[in-house]
Amino acid sequence: MAHHVLTLQCPDRPGIVAALATGIGRAGGNILDSAQFSDPGTGLFCVRTEFESPIEDPEEALALVGPELAAYSPDLTLRPKDRRRRALLMVSKIDHCLVDLLYRWDRGELPVDIPVVVSNHDALRGIVEYYGIPFEHVPVTPETKPAAEARLFELVDEHEVDVVVLARYMQVLSDDACRRLEGRAINIHHSFLPGFKGARPYHQAHERGVKLIGATAHYVTADLDEGPIIEQDVVRVSHTRSAEEMVRLGRDVEELVLSRAVAAHAEDRVFLCGSRTVVFSQ
Amino acid sequence: MAHHVLTLQCPDRPGIVAALATGIGRAGGNILDSAQFSDPGTGLFCVRTEFESPIEDPEEALALVGPELAAYSPDLTLRPKDRRRRALLMVSKIDHCLVDLLYRWDRGELPVDIPVVVSNHDALRGIVEYYGIPFEHVPVTPETKPAAEARLFELVDEHEVDVVVLARYMQVLSDDACRRLEGRAINIHHSFLPGFKGARPYHQAHERGVKLIGATAHYVTADLDEGPIIEQDVVRVSHTRSAEEMVRLGRDVEELVLSRAVAAHAEDRVFLCGSRTVVFSQ
Amino acid sequence: MAHHVLTLQCPDRPGIVAALATGIGRAGGNILDSAQFSDPGTGLFCVRTEFESPIEDPEEALALVGPELAAYSPDLTLRPKDRRRRALLMVSKIDHCLVDLLYRWDRGELPVDIPVVVSNHDALRGIVEYYGIPFEHVPVTPETKPAAEARLFELVDEHEVDVVVLARYMQVLSDDACRRLEGRAINIHHSFLPGFKGARPYHQAHERGVKLIGATAHYVTADLDEGPIIEQDVVRVSHTRSAEEMVRLGRDVEELVLSRAVAAHAEDRVFLCGSRTVVFSQ
Amino acid sequence: MAHHVLTLQCPDRPGIVAALATGIGRAGGNILDSAQFSDPGTGLFCVRTEFESPIEDPEEALALVGPELAAYSPDLTLRPKDRRRRALLMVSKIDHCLVDLLYRWDRGELPVDIPVVVSNHDALRGIVEYYGIPFEHVPVTPETKPAAEARLFELVDEHEVDVVVLARYMQVLSDDACRRLEGRAINIHHSFLPGFKGARPYHQAHERGVKLIGATAHYVTADLDEGPIIEQDVVRVSHTRSAEEMVRLGRDVEELVLSRAVAAHAEDRVFLCGSRTVVFSQ
């Protein structure tokens, strides 16, 4: 039996689940795990379902599942569970998020394929190629930025990329690129309670004596660092920690939060509902 | 529109969700939030669904939802979300779990009604009656134990009790009572990493210098303290803590874990699958 | 033997610990637990020491301990461990932090005495008096604010108050009052990652789909909500939570954080070093 | 100025801190951070102090600090903070704890030097040598066990090893070896709430539906898996996790707990007091 993961999102109306279940039945399917949520704010209905079916081919399975659902015009995806989502990583010179993602990927803990890593610097080629992953150096200057983004989208198409992960990529994407990547580009940044604006936020946080350091992973939007939040976490710090140690501890939580967000996205657990996300937990 | 909570459990076979969705559709229902899981160990399929419907009466709603499901012989429950589960609390002389449950209930944080508190001692009558809840003193001796349990079941029937909560009730229920309360009686006990058997477990734990203190809430079974686990948590302790302070910190985590388990049960989030539970998270 | 808690803070210079240890020796003292920290930012040295001594009277003990230390002009406090710090609570109409503090106090978990609760409303008199604590209604209008603050300081003096706890007190203290209470008035407020400015922060947080809700307890300064942080914590929330539920979960974490901050202060574990605190953990 | 870390442990009597402070003063020292604790159970007094001093040589510094302390016959250590403790790692074929320690070490997060890795198998030579660390294969059979342990102690001496880390080393050390390594050999093992004995503990835990998976790092004693606990932690698991996934999540927490225990030991924060440890937190 093939094991499929299906997602559905559409405006909520009665009958969606019945239509979906009828379709899964037509594909000889049996539901193993399913989560559904109707988002009150946007009126969107979100479904993630894992089911077994004798139909192995995803196109064929989708053709069997889909007919009754057509009336709801849903966003519908279906993939065999063992066909992993494909992530393109973008980095600059800071390596901790990259190294952590590669390490988890290598150990089989990050359920993605990584067809290519793109960087505006050549600095991290070594570690990427050590893991046997192609590294593409795409320099970015104000003049070459449009060409660099065009190259990015070529790579996204060429490698059939499902999600772009900004693993401490220090370039701002153009508004147009952000729009084209809506809901499929993930960024990570530090966060504090309370928030600190401006330069050297860890030093500001240290100066205020914060007791928690956090990080937020979110979808990229044109509004910098303000996209829909996928995952957040914090780590406790004491007065004995210097600002430099807080930077290091902050790196740890950035890595953890980013890897969790990428995994949740790659397992099709995240749904974008306006400015919020619905994340079905495991 | 009425807001209903439905649960279903039965051996897994294809078509259950379609049958359920068809039934909900017949009741004019719209699904708001749903979770489904097929337990590999027992082959049981578990569903918890919240839906809106113009049918207010739960009997009537169930009659509309049920027909297609009959072939699966499911355990099926349906209640209006605002008709709260009814909890009978049992206590002895130790009051911390009782006080915590009453406090949370009084503040509206524990989604249950508490029709009566039963105790084998009269010691805690005051606090119970302060909250306006009837207190029933049912002494237990080896001779009166059968009569005491008979009285317990009278109270369960009379007050239409959904769940019995042993809030540090220091009597062992008979095997027969455990069987009659299967899946609807919750107990709390301390448990550590690693586990300590015998008397004065906190003192044993202190002696070993544990760094975490834990508690486990579980369904009552005839096998003492070995029932299916509903919820667990721990609290960190340092070497500065005396055994007495560890007892106090252990009380805190016992309360927290018990109140979470009762809330999850009362919201119909817990399904018993053999020796395990499926707990749909909020 | 008497069990004393001593704190010392002064600009760091070699010899302080030797001078202190010599003094404790003169008082026949034996150190049980001690923590010391030299804050790099301010150059302040902080010491918290618990010691046993045959000298019961704290004045007498301090007179024996102090001479060698005089050269360092330290801030020095000494109290018998069982002489608890005295906390004046201030509230308005919102009761959750007050109720939680009283509940913990009543159970012996909050190591303070509470000689009086002050409020600008009469709404919470009942619960305060239920616990046998005097309730003082001090209304505040723009015109009466100076008189109200004068009354507050009378109460602080009369009851020998060590710390003022703003348990969701909805009035802003004057700059002068803030200065007079520097390092001995604790406030609680909600915090988020990222921070949200303006009205209805929980609704803003819900709109952004935050995954963590936090709270910060800090010393009061004239700069509103910007004082030195004592304690912070967060609670995880999922997409299923409404803004109203997030408010309730936020209350839980506010209570927890405030009670921990008050306990740390009352145990003399918190030292103010410029805009930061040093908090010696238990 | 040199930055030294000093530890002291001896039976508690009045005057120790004064004697220590006098000695540090003689070395021109200034205390930066210090923690002291008198363990009630064993009557042992434990001190960890960081201080600056113009005396760079640790032997010389110790000679200046020590005289007054001689009367207390303390266990006394002193090292420059940048002279890192030396850890010998022992492994078999399971690599997750080894890989994690090497990864953290390579990134500068684990404050130890690793002069050699010892294994009873040759399986993990590759990853160890990749990191530039000598790998020593010391096979163990019932017949060769005494010789293998003799070789271990040769390596401990030759490399001036401070701590032996059993990173999932699947051989039981002899009672004699355990005694010789008392307080300087760290082991990691899984432990659950409640504990599970015997084979396949993760499968037992899965069968019981535990909600938390834990791990414990402890000093090695002749009593297998019963040594003084240094660090513990847990990770939350849900019903969706298979026993195999629980094994993987258990590995994560084993790694984390072991690396924290090694770091605490290497920073001289852990003191052995009978069957318990005192761990001064950072």
Side-chain angles (χ1 to χ4, degrees):
Chain A
M1 296 285 272
H3 187 149
H4 294 296
V5 179
L6 175 149
T7 70
L8 173 155
Q9 189 181 42
C10 62
D12 195 5
R13 280 164 44 203
I16 300 170
V17 174
L20 175 60
T22 302
I24 290 174
R26 184 183 301 114
N30 188 39
I31 293 171
L32 300 174
D33 185 7
S34 182
Q36 297 153 21
F37 184 69
S38 179
D39 183 54
T42 58
L44 289 169
F45 191 65
C46 308
V47 181
R48 180 190 187 276
T49 294
E50 297 192 16
F51 66 96
E52 288 179 320
S53 160
I55 312 296
E56 291 204 14
D57 181 69
E59 305 287 324
E60 190 183 341
L62 200 52
L64 291 164
V65 169
E68 282 81 5
L69 290 167
Y72 301 94
S73 307
D75 287 335
L76 203 57
T77 75
L78 188 153
R79 65 177 172 90
K81 194 172 185 181
D82 56 9
R83 182 181 299 176
R84 307 205 296 179
R85 294 286 177 196
R86 297 169 67 79
L88 180 155
L89 312 188
M90 299 191 78
V91 294
S92 293
K93 291 177 172 175
I94 298 171
D95 69 348
H96 64 279
C97 283
L98 173 70
V99 170
D100 186 72
L101 289 171
L102 294 175
Y103 174 66
R104 291 178 190 272
W105 168 80
D106 186 51
R107 293 176 60 188
E109 294 175 12
L110 195 72
V112 293
D113 290 332
I114 305 177
V116 63
V117 175
V118 175
S119 179
N120 59 327
H121 292 283
D122 207 48
L124 304 180
R125 177 183 297 277
I127 184 71
V128 172
E129 293 185 347
Y130 167 78
Y131 281 106
I133 296 172
F135 179 89
E136 174 111 4
H137 180 197
V138 182
V140 178
T141 66
E143 293 72 34
T144 65
K145 187 162 178 171
E149 293 196 345
R151 179 68 188 135
L152 170 63
F153 282 102
E154 276 178 20
L155 289 165
V156 165
D157 290 346
E158 176 186 330
H159 292 289
E160 301 179 38
V161 165
D162 293 301
V163 60
V164 171
V165 179
L166 307 186
R168 301 292 285 155
Y169 180 66
M170 305 307 278
Q171 292 285 326
V172 177
L173 295 180
S174 69
D175 285 8
D176 180 57
C178 290
R179 265 189 297 274
R180 289 177 64 185
L181 292 170
E182 186 193 338
R184 52 187 186 125
I186 298 175
N187 190 30
I188 181 72
H189 79 124
H190 48 70
S191 318
F192 303 94
L193 308 97
F196 297 99
K197 305 288 182 189
R200 310 222 315 162
Y202 282 100
H203 289 77
Q204 290 186 61
H206 182 262
E207 180 64 24
R208 274 295 302 286
V210 297
K211 305 305 182 198
L212 297 176
I213 284 177
T216 298
H218 62 94
Y219 284 123
V220 171
T221 56
D223 192 357
L224 188 68
D225 289 343
E226 294 286 329
I229 294 166
I230 303 169
E231 171 66 349
Q232 302 184 297
D233 211 344
V234 293
V235 64
R236 192 162 278 271
V237 294
S238 80
H239 60 269
T240 66
R241 301 295 192 174
S242 65
E244 287 69 30
E245 286 177 304
M246 285 170 57
V247 170
R248 180 171 69 68
L249 291 164
R251 284 200 304 252
D252 287 354
V253 71
E254 287 174 15
E255 293 167 18
L256 191 66
V257 165
L258 180 59
S259 69
R260 284 192 205 140
V262 172
H265 182 97
E267 291 174 345
D268 300 311
R269 297 183 181 282
V270 190
F271 294 75
L272 194 50
C273 293
S275 56
R276 308 172 64 219
T277 62
V278 164
V279 183
F280 291 126
S281 64
Q282 183 166 44
Chain B
M1 295 285 272
H3 187 148
H4 294 296
V5 179
L6 176 148
T7 70
L8 174 156
Q9 189 181 43
C10 63
D12 195 4
R13 280 165 43 204
I16 300 169
V17 174
L20 175 59
T22 301
I24 290 175
R26 183 183 301 114
N30 188 39
I31 293 171
L32 300 174
D33 185 8
S34 182
Q36 297 153 21
F37 184 69
S38 178
D39 183 54
T42 58
L44 289 170
F45 191 65
C46 309
V47 181
R48 180 189 187 275
T49 294
E50 298 191 18
F51 67 95
E52 289 178 319
S53 160
I55 311 297
E56 291 203 12
D57 180 69
E59 305 288 325
E60 189 184 343
L62 201 52
L64 290 164
V65 168
E68 282 81 4
L69 291 167
Y72 301 94
S73 308
D75 286 335
L76 202 58
T77 74
L78 189 153
R79 67 177 169 90
K81 193 171 185 181
D82 55 10
R83 182 181 298 177
R84 308 205 296 180
R85 294 286 177 197
R86 297 169 67 79
L88 180 155
L89 311 189
M90 298 192 79
V91 295
S92 293
K93 291 177 172 175
I94 298 171
D95 69 349
H96 64 281
C97 283
L98 173 70
V99 170
D100 186 72
L101 289 170
L102 294 175
Y103 173 66
R104 291 178 190 271
W105 168 80
D106 186 50
R107 293 177 59 188
E109 294 175 11
L110 196 71
V112 294
D113 289 333
I114 304 177
V116 63
V117 174
V118 174
S119 179
N120 58 327
H121 292 283
D122 207 49
L124 304 180
R125 177 184 296 277
I127 185 71
V128 172
E129 294 184 347
Y130 167 77
Y131 280 105
I133 296 172
F135 178 90
E136 174 110 4
H137 180 197
V138 182
V140 178
T141 65
E143 294 72 34
T144 65
K145 188 162 178 170
E149 293 196 345
R151 178 68 188 135
L152 170 64
F153 283 101
E154 276 177 21
L155 289 165
V156 165
D157 290 346
E158 175 186 332
H159 293 290
E160 300 179 39
V161 165
D162 293 301
V163 60
V164 171
V165 180
L166 308 187
R168 303 291 284 154
Y169 180 67
M170 306 308 279
Q171 293 285 325
V172 177
L173 296 180
S174 70
D175 285 7
D176 179 57
C178 290
R179 265 189 298 274
R180 290 176 64 185
L181 291 170
E182 185 194 339
R184 53 188 185 123
I186 298 175
N187 188 31
I188 181 73
H189 84 125
H190 49 73
S191 65
F192 300 99
L193 297 117
F196 296 99
K197 307 287 184 189
R200 309 220 320 159
Y202 284 100
H203 290 77
Q204 290 185 59
H206 182 262
E207 181 63 25
R208 274 295 301 285
V210 298
K211 306 306 182 195
L212 297 176
I213 284 177
T216 298
H218 62 93
Y219 284 122
V220 171
T221 56
D223 192 355
L224 188 67
D225 288 343
E226 294 287 330
I229 295 167
I230 303 169
E231 171 66 350
Q232 301 183 297
D233 211 345
V234 294
V235 65
R236 191 163 278 273
V237 293
S238 80
H239 60 268
T240 65
R241 300 296 192 174
S242 66
E244 287 69 29
E245 287 177 303
M246 285 171 58
V247 171
R248 181 172 67 69
L249 291 164
R251 285 200 304 251
D252 286 355
V253 70
E254 287 173 16
E255 294 167 17
L256 191 66
V257 165
L258 180 58
S259 70
R260 284 193 203 139
V262 172
H265 182 98
E267 291 174 345
D268 301 310
R269 297 183 181 282
V270 190
F271 294 74
L272 194 50
C273 292
S275 56
R276 308 172 64 220
T277 62
V278 164
V279 184
F280 291 126
S281 65
Q282 182 166 44
Chain C
M1 298 283 274
H3 187 149
H4 294 297
V5 179
L6 176 148
T7 70
L8 174 155
Q9 189 181 42
C10 61
D12 194 6
R13 281 164 42 203
I16 299 170
V17 173
L20 175 60
T22 302
I24 290 174
R26 185 183 299 113
N30 188 39
I31 294 172
L32 300 174
D33 185 8
S34 183
Q36 298 153 21
F37 185 69
S38 179
D39 182 55
T42 58
L44 289 170
F45 192 65
C46 308
V47 181
R48 180 189 187 277
T49 293
E50 297 191 19
F51 67 96
E52 289 180 320
S53 161
I55 312 297
E56 291 203 13
D57 180 69
E59 306 288 324
E60 190 183 342
L62 200 53
L64 290 163
V65 169
E68 282 80 6
L69 290 168
Y72 301 94
S73 308
D75 286 335
L76 203 58
T77 75
L78 189 153
R79 65 177 172 90
K81 192 172 184 180
D82 56 10
R83 182 181 300 178
R84 307 206 296 179
R85 294 285 177 197
R86 297 168 68 78
L88 180 155
L89 311 188
M90 299 191 77
V91 294
S92 294
K93 291 177 172 175
I94 298 171
D95 69 349
H96 64 280
C97 283
L98 172 70
V99 170
D100 186 73
L101 289 170
L102 294 175
Y103 174 66
R104 292 178 189 271
W105 168 81
D106 186 50
R107 293 177 59 187
E109 294 175 12
L110 196 72
V112 294
D113 290 333
I114 304 176
V116 64
V117 174
V118 174
S119 179
N120 59 326
H121 293 283
D122 208 48
L124 305 180
R125 177 184 298 276
I127 185 70
V128 172
E129 293 184 349
Y130 167 78
Y131 280 106
I133 297 172
F135 178 89
E136 175 110 4
H137 180 199
V138 182
V140 179
T141 65
E143 293 71 37
T144 65
K145 186 162 178 170
E149 292 196 344
R151 179 65 188 137
L152 170 64
F153 282 101
E154 276 179 20
L155 290 166
V156 165
D157 289 347
E158 176 186 330
H159 292 289
E160 302 180 39
V161 165
D162 293 301
V163 60
V164 172
V165 179
L166 307 187
R168 304 289 286 155
Y169 180 66
M170 305 307 280
Q171 292 286 325
V172 177
L173 296 180
S174 71
D175 285 9
D176 180 57
C178 289
R179 266 190 298 274
R180 290 176 65 184
L181 291 171
E182 185 193 339
R184 52 187 186 123
I186 298 175
N187 190 29
I188 181 72
H189 79 124
H190 48 71
S191 319
F192 303 94
L193 309 95
F196 296 98
K197 304 289 182 188
R200 310 222 315 163
Y202 283 100
H203 289 76
Q204 290 186 61
H206 182 262
E207 180 64 23
R208 272 295 302 287
V210 298
K211 305 305 182 197
L212 297 176
I213 284 178
T216 298
H218 61 93
Y219 283 124
V220 171
T221 56
D223 193 356
L224 188 69
D225 289 343
E226 294 286 330
I229 295 166
I230 303 169
E231 171 66 349
Q232 301 184 298
D233 211 343
V234 293
V235 66
R236 192 163 278 272
V237 293
S238 80
H239 60 269
T240 65
R241 300 296 192 174
S242 65
E244 288 68 30
E245 286 177 305
M246 285 171 57
V247 170
R248 180 172 68 69
L249 291 164
R251 285 200 304 252
D252 287 355
V253 71
E254 287 174 14
E255 293 168 18
L256 191 67
V257 164
L258 180 60
S259 70
R260 284 192 203 140
V262 171
H265 181 98
E267 291 174 347
D268 299 311
R269 298 183 180 280
V270 191
F271 295 74
L272 194 51
C273 292
S275 56
R276 307 172 64 220
T277 63
V278 165
V279 183
F280 291 127
S281 65
Q282 183 165 43
Chain D
M1 297 284 272
H3 187 149
H4 294 297
V5 178
L6 176 148
T7 70
L8 174 155
Q9 189 181 43
C10 62
D12 195 7
R13 281 164 42 202
I16 300 170
V17 174
L20 175 60
T22 302
I24 290 174
R26 184 183 299 113
N30 188 39
I31 293 171
L32 300 174
D33 185 8
S34 183
Q36 297 153 21
F37 184 70
S38 179
D39 182 55
T42 58
L44 289 170
F45 192 65
C46 309
V47 181
R48 181 189 186 276
T49 294
E50 297 191 20
F51 67 96
E52 288 179 319
S53 160
I55 311 298
E56 291 202 15
D57 181 70
E59 305 288 324
E60 191 183 342
L62 201 53
L64 290 163
V65 169
E68 282 81 4
L69 290 169
Y72 301 93
S73 308
D75 286 334
L76 203 57
T77 75
L78 189 152
R79 67 177 171 90
K81 193 171 184 181
D82 55 10
R83 182 181 298 177
R84 306 205 296 179
R85 294 287 176 196
R86 298 168 67 78
L88 181 155
L89 311 189
M90 299 191 79
V91 294
S92 294
K93 291 178 171 174
I94 298 171
D95 69 349
H96 64 280
C97 283
L98 173 71
V99 170
D100 187 73
L101 290 170
L102 294 174
Y103 173 67
R104 292 177 189 271
W105 169 81
D106 186 52
R107 293 177 59 187
E109 293 175 12
L110 195 72
V112 294
D113 291 333
I114 305 177
V116 63
V117 174
V118 174
S119 180
N120 58 327
H121 293 283
D122 207 49
L124 304 180
R125 177 184 295 277
I127 185 71
V128 172
E129 293 184 349
Y130 167 78
Y131 280 106
I133 297 172
F135 179 89
E136 176 112 3
H137 180 198
V138 182
V140 179
T141 65
E143 294 72 35
T144 65
K145 186 162 178 170
E149 292 195 345
R151 180 64 188 138
L152 169 64
F153 282 101
E154 275 178 20
L155 289 166
V156 165
D157 289 346
E158 175 186 331
H159 292 290
E160 301 179 40
V161 165
D162 294 301
V163 60
V164 172
V165 180
L166 306 187
R168 303 290 286 152
Y169 181 67
M170 306 306 280
Q171 291 286 325
V172 177
L173 296 180
S174 70
D175 285 7
D176 180 57
C178 290
R179 265 189 298 274
R180 289 176 65 185
L181 291 171
E182 185 193 339
R184 52 188 185 123
I186 298 175
N187 190 32
I188 180 72
H189 82 124
H190 50 72
S191 64
F192 300 99
L193 296 119
F196 295 99
K197 307 287 184 189
R200 310 222 317 161
Y202 284 100
H203 290 76
Q204 290 185 59
H206 182 262
E207 181 64 24
R208 274 295 301 285
V210 298
K211 305 306 181 194
L212 297 176
I213 284 177
T216 298
H218 62 93
Y219 284 123
V220 171
T221 56
D223 193 356
L224 187 69
D225 289 342
E226 294 286 330
I229 295 166
I230 303 169
E231 172 66 350
Q232 301 183 297
D233 211 344
V234 293
V235 65
R236 192 163 279 271
V237 293
S238 80
H239 60 268
T240 66
R241 301 295 192 175
S242 66
E244 288 68 30
E245 287 177 305
M246 285 172 58
V247 171
R248 181 172 68 70
L249 291 164
R251 284 200 305 253
D252 287 355
V253 71
E254 288 174 15
E255 293 167 17
L256 191 66
V257 164
L258 180 59
S259 70
R260 284 192 203 140
V262 172
H265 181 98
E267 291 174 345
D268 300 310
R269 298 184 180 281
V270 190
F271 294 75
L272 194 50
C273 292
S275 56
R276 307 174 64 220
T277 62
V278 165
V279 183
F280 291 126
S281 64
Q282 183 167 44

